[in-house]
Amino acid sequence: MLHEIPLIRPDTPLLDAINLPADLRRLDREQLEPLAEEMRAFLLWSVGQTGGHFGAGLGVVELTIALHYLYDTPTDRLVWDVGHQTYPHKILTGRKDRMHTMRQAEGLSGFPKRAESEYDTFGVGHSSTSISAAMGMAVGLANAGDRRKVCAVIGDGAMTGGMAIEALAHAGHVRPNMLVVLNDNQMSIGHNSGGLASYFAKMWSSKTYISLREGGKSVLKRMPPAWDLVKRTEEHMKGMVAPGTLFEELGWHYIGPIDGHDLPQLLHTIENMRELEGPQFLHIQTRKGRGFEPAESDQVGYHAINKVDPEPLKPKAANEEEKPKKPKYQQVFGDWLCDMALLDERLIGITPAMCEGSGMVEFAERYPERYHDVAIAEQHAVTLGAGIACEGGKPVVAIYSTFLQRGYDQLVHDVALQNLDVTFGIDRAGLVGEDGATHAGSFDLSYMRCLPNMVIAAPSDENECRQLLYTCYQYEGPSAVRYPRGTGPGAEIKKEMKRLPIGEALQVRRGRQVAILNFGVLLPQALEAGSRLDATVYDMRWVKPLDEARILELAGSHELIVTVEDNAIAGGVGSAVNELLIRENSHVRLLNLGLPDRFVDHGKRELQLEWVGLDADGIYQAISKRLPGSETESEKPVIPAEAG
């Protein structure tokens, strides 16, 4: 058991000899447990170099070894879900020497990525997708007469997603040849049933038992009363020692739960199940953070870690004052939620498994009866809020922008169409840095602004975020406030909450010739560019409704209108401004700046903004090229090519 993250690379002779799974399969089985310890030490060291997801990977070291040892990857298909548990998988599949680049620009992705490796059979950023994808692979292979094997690993709470249950039900009907491994790390379902469950799991997966079971079926089915009795007896026996009845009823052959850190038993069970026909379900229990005592004790806190700095902190001088830390937008939201709940007992908070990430820990502790974590079920989260609103409650749904995409139908039909009073705190809006394209909130302005009845706010700093949350909460209808990951510019946050006029923009600089309309947190960059250009700059605040009167006034007094947003240009708020000016027959020149028509790779957020021309210099250069007299006046703004 390790107690601290090593600062120097550990000695790993077995692991050093493995570059690909084919090398792993040349080892004797007795060498696999020492290999697991080496991998765990290497993983601790490598994540300490880069930061990143942590606990889930430590929990699947033995499982990863077992799967690559028994399956002929990449010929056989291995699908991981959730994606952040794949660091050990990357170590074994030719990327060990690049782990120090994890989540960095031009480095390894923190999730499976098909373009990165042939061993990453399916890209996974969201959860609960593996069973559907693996089933599709199994069906496709069977249709082509291909006997390659397919295995899906689903864990770290992903089994709570409705999509996983839908896939289980369908596969139980179609009966493809595939194995699903549920990695139950106490963040999903089930309880340890002890040695008896392990004994029965070994028995139920044995070739002898399977032969007797399948042979008995053909005989007993000719005698319906006897068959019914034997079938019910088997189900009741399994029900006493394992939570598998549900899976059996859905048409799966269920084994487990077994200890996911007992490598010999894991190898024995998977080896048997790999050869069985039809849908197979193996339930293993693991410990998130396994082998690192701090992570085992605090599984939530060590879900991910920052880079470990080997340099000791320099002591502060006696006269040196400690600068207060800027609060993250998630803390701004969490503080507002608690303050608002104190003022209004109708407020009910909802999150789809993102309590810590969305800043709701204090609210959950102070108001447990008004807090609902619905697990990884974004569709349910949205409609739950709609139902609460039907009965006079004031639901606040805290949800990542990229996860709200999964509940879009519910946003349309269950909330907007019925004009229900649901407030959305849309977290991780815009580019999110090292988590990359799977987690970037690049499209929420585009997919929300087209919905009737929606009110959408885009604050430019921390205090404006608090005041706009309060304003949208007071609005009696569907509303959303979108804000980014991390900290803002450090604006003073006023405790008093005031309603801001809906649809009214704020002038922050008066200039000439060019008017920059900024929507959201890129105001500092827009203001810097505007100062260099002597341009007028507005903090627009509202995406819907737009401050139409102000935009039309600026169109009449300036030569160029520029919109700036941390959202896709296609269908974004710049498009809304264009539509307004076309409708009003304005002939002012227009320039829309935002995210280009591609997915932006992972890297630091500041670097991502530079790549897409949304840093201060990029905004300045794009506008300069559109000004009269510029040699490239007729050209469109140049967007830098994607890194890598």
Side-chain angles (χ1 to χ4, degrees):
M1 177 73 71
L2 295 168
H3 298 275
E4 59 182 28
I5 297 172
L7 296 178
I8 60 173
R9 192 189 190 285
D11 186 29
T12 56
L14 285 172
L15 183 60
D16 292 346
I18 297 172
N19 293 312
L20 293 171
D23 301 322
L24 168 68
R25 292 189 277 271
R26 284 192 281 268
L27 296 180
D28 295 330
R29 293 200 178 199
E30 293 73 22
Q31 296 176 287
L32 298 184
E33 288 186 277
L35 174 64
E37 295 308 309
E38 290 186 13
M39 279 188 61
R40 196 163 267 118
F42 180 84
L43 180 62
L44 282 165
W45 171 77
S46 65
V47 178
Q49 303 298 301
T50 62
H53 289 100
F54 189 66
L58 289 172
V60 296
V61 168
E62 288 83 3
L63 176 63
T64 306
I65 290 172
L67 291 172
H68 281 295
Y69 191 78
L70 295 171
Y71 282 87
D72 184 22
T73 54
T75 301
D76 291 336
R77 302 308 194 198
L78 181 57
V79 182
W80 290 92
D81 175 11
V82 291
H84 61 234
Q85 63 182 332
T86 55
Y87 288 25
H89 161 78
K90 296 199 176 201
I91 291 171
L92 289 178
T93 54
R95 289 167 279 184
K96 176 173 77 266
D97 295 336
R98 296 187 64 212
M99 291 297 288
H100 67 282
T101 70
M102 181 68 71
R103 304 172 76 245
Q104 299 175 28
E106 300 186 48
L108 295 179
S109 168
F111 306 94
K113 188 175 181 180
R114 283 174 58 86
E116 185 177 289
S117 170
E118 62 179 332
Y119 291 90
D120 292 358
T121 59
F122 199 76
V124 186
H126 294 182
S127 71
S128 312
T129 59
S130 59
I131 304 176
S132 298
M135 179 184 172
M137 293 174 187
V139 169
L141 290 169
N143 190 58
D146 196 316
R147 298 288 294 175
R148 281 183 283 184
K149 301 183 185 306
V150 178
C151 176
V153 180
I154 184 167
D156 208 28
M159 200 67 207
T160 62
M163 186 175 175
I165 306 302
E166 293 171 9
L168 284 173
H170 186 212
H173 171 70
V174 176
R175 304 196 60 75
N177 293 331
M178 61 183 291
L179 171 65
V180 169
V181 180
L182 169 59
N183 170 33
D184 176 4
N185 60 10
Q186 283 73 57
M187 293 291 179
S188 52
I189 66 173
H191 299 283
N192 193 346
S193 300
L196 187 61
S198 296
Y199 169 76
F200 275 110
K202 187 176 292 186
M203 181 187 77
W204 288 331
S205 69
S206 70
K207 293 179 180 177
T208 302
Y209 170 78
I210 297 299
S211 178
L212 289 171
R213 182 177 188 262
E214 298 304 314
K217 276 185 182 181
S218 61
V219 174
L220 292 171
K221 281 185 176 180
R222 300 170 189 168
M223 300 177 285
W227 164 244
D228 185 59
L229 174 63
V230 171
K231 187 172 185 293
R232 282 189 284 119
T233 300
E234 180 192 38
E235 289 176 353
H236 290 158
M237 287 178 64
K238 287 189 175 183
M240 285 189 293
V241 295
T245 305
L246 169 64
F247 301 105
E248 293 277 0
E249 290 295 328
L250 287 172
W252 291 74
H253 175 220
Y254 172 91
I255 299 295
I258 67 172
D259 183 355
H261 301 299
D262 184 340
L263 192 48
Q265 185 187 31
L266 207 55
L267 289 164
H268 174 84
T269 306
I270 294 175
E271 190 170 31
N272 286 337
M273 298 186 76
R274 181 190 60 181
E275 302 303 323
L276 301 179
E277 297 290 317
Q280 310 296 318
F281 193 98
L282 174 61
H283 181 177
I284 71 171
Q285 291 184 320
T286 62
R287 181 78 176 167
K288 194 170 183 177
R290 169 80 172 192
F292 184 58
E293 194 279 331
E296 288 195 32
S297 301
D298 182 7
Q299 296 185 9
V300 173
Y302 280 88
H303 173 71
I305 61 170
N306 295 321
K307 179 180 178 180
V308 177
D309 190 350
E311 296 295 327
L313 294 174
K314 296 180 181 179
K316 288 189 284 287
N319 61 348
E320 184 180 353
E321 293 185 7
E322 185 174 350
K323 294 182 180 179
K325 292 183 178 180
K326 295 189 293 185
K328 295 181 178 180
Y329 279 98
Q330 292 67 41
Q331 182 182 337
V332 174
F333 170 80
D335 291 345
W336 168 81
L337 192 66
C338 289
D339 293 344
M340 198 68 243
L342 183 63
L343 297 175
D344 189 348
E345 62 183 15
R346 298 174 300 163
L347 187 151
I348 296 176
I350 302 169
T351 179
M354 288 292 126
C355 178
E356 292 79 16
S358 291
M360 297 182 74
V361 173
E362 184 180 353
F363 175 81
E365 293 172 350
R366 288 174 58 180
Y367 302 99
E369 73 287 353
R370 295 158 63 184
Y371 166 73
H372 294 275
D373 184 341
V374 304
I376 302 174
E378 295 88 355
Q379 295 169 311
H380 171 56
V382 175
T383 303
L384 176 66
I388 291 170
C390 286
E391 300 304 325
K394 292 281 287 182
V396 177
V397 180
I399 189 168
Y400 289 12
S401 170
T402 186
F403 296 158
L404 183 56
Q405 293 164 189
R406 310 183 84 177
Y408 187 61
D409 184 63
Q410 288 69 29
L411 178 63
V412 176
H413 284 267
D414 299 341
V415 177
L417 179 62
Q418 302 184 96
N419 200 23
L420 291 172
D421 189 1
V422 182
T423 303
F424 291 88
I426 300 183
D427 195 354
R428 267 65 168 183
L431 297 173
V432 293
E434 291 85 351
D435 280 347
T438 60
H439 283 60
S442 305
F443 313 110
D444 54 83
L445 296 185
S446 301
Y447 69 66
M448 284 193 301
R449 79 168 189 87
C450 60
L451 299 182
N453 297 326
M454 284 293 298
V455 163
I456 308 165
S460 62
D461 62 37
E462 302 91 332
N463 182 61
E464 198 166 84
C465 183
R466 177 178 174 86
Q467 306 306 330
L468 288 173
L469 282 165
Y470 178 77
T471 304
C472 284
Y473 181 82
Q474 301 299 331
Y475 173 73
E476 295 182 358
S479 62
V481 181
R482 56 112 64 179
Y483 45 88
R485 176 188 184 189
T487 59
E492 179 187 356
I493 301 174
K494 297 179 181 178
K495 184 70 174 177
E496 181 184 3
M497 293 183 285
K498 293 184 177 180
R499 293 182 69 166
L500 301 178
I502 292 178
E504 185 173 304
L506 177 69
Q507 180 178 295
V508 292
R509 189 183 192 282
R510 190 68 190 182
R512 57 186 181 84
Q513 195 176 15
V514 176
I516 302 175
L517 312 182
N518 175 77
F519 296 85
V521 296
L522 296 178
L523 182 61
Q525 292 88 337
L527 191 56
E528 181 180 333
S531 297
R532 292 168 66 183
L533 293 161
D534 191 22
T536 297
V537 180
Y538 265 81
D539 174 13
M540 297 303 294
R541 290 181 169 173
W542 298 97
V543 172
K544 188 176 183 179
L546 288 170
D547 191 340
E548 294 188 352
R550 184 63 57 196
I551 294 171
L552 292 173
E553 183 273 320
L554 292 170
S557 57
H558 291 72
E559 298 177 23
L560 176 65
I561 298 290
V562 181
T563 62
V564 178
E565 60 189 301
D566 190 5
N567 183 85
I569 294 174
V573 67
S575 296
V577 173
N578 299 352
E579 292 159 11
L580 167 66
L581 294 172
I582 291 171
R583 188 185 74 213
E584 296 299 322
N585 200 31
S586 171
H587 298 288
V588 68
R589 302 167 74 210
L590 292 166
L591 173 62
N592 299 141
L593 300 179
L595 302 182
D597 187 22
R598 68 166 189 269
F599 292 102
V600 180
D601 208 353
H602 58 276
K604 290 188 179 298
R605 176 175 160 84
E606 294 77 14
L607 186 57
Q608 290 178 320
L609 292 176
E610 181 181 330
W611 289 342
V612 299
L614 290 177
D615 60 331
D617 190 60
I619 294 171
Y620 169 78
Q621 294 293 343
I623 296 173
S624 296
K625 292 174 182 177
R626 289 299 185 91
L627 294 178
S630 169
E631 293 181 3
T632 56
E633 179 186 348
S634 61
E635 296 180 6
K636 294 182 178 180
V638 176
I639 303 296
E642 183 174 347

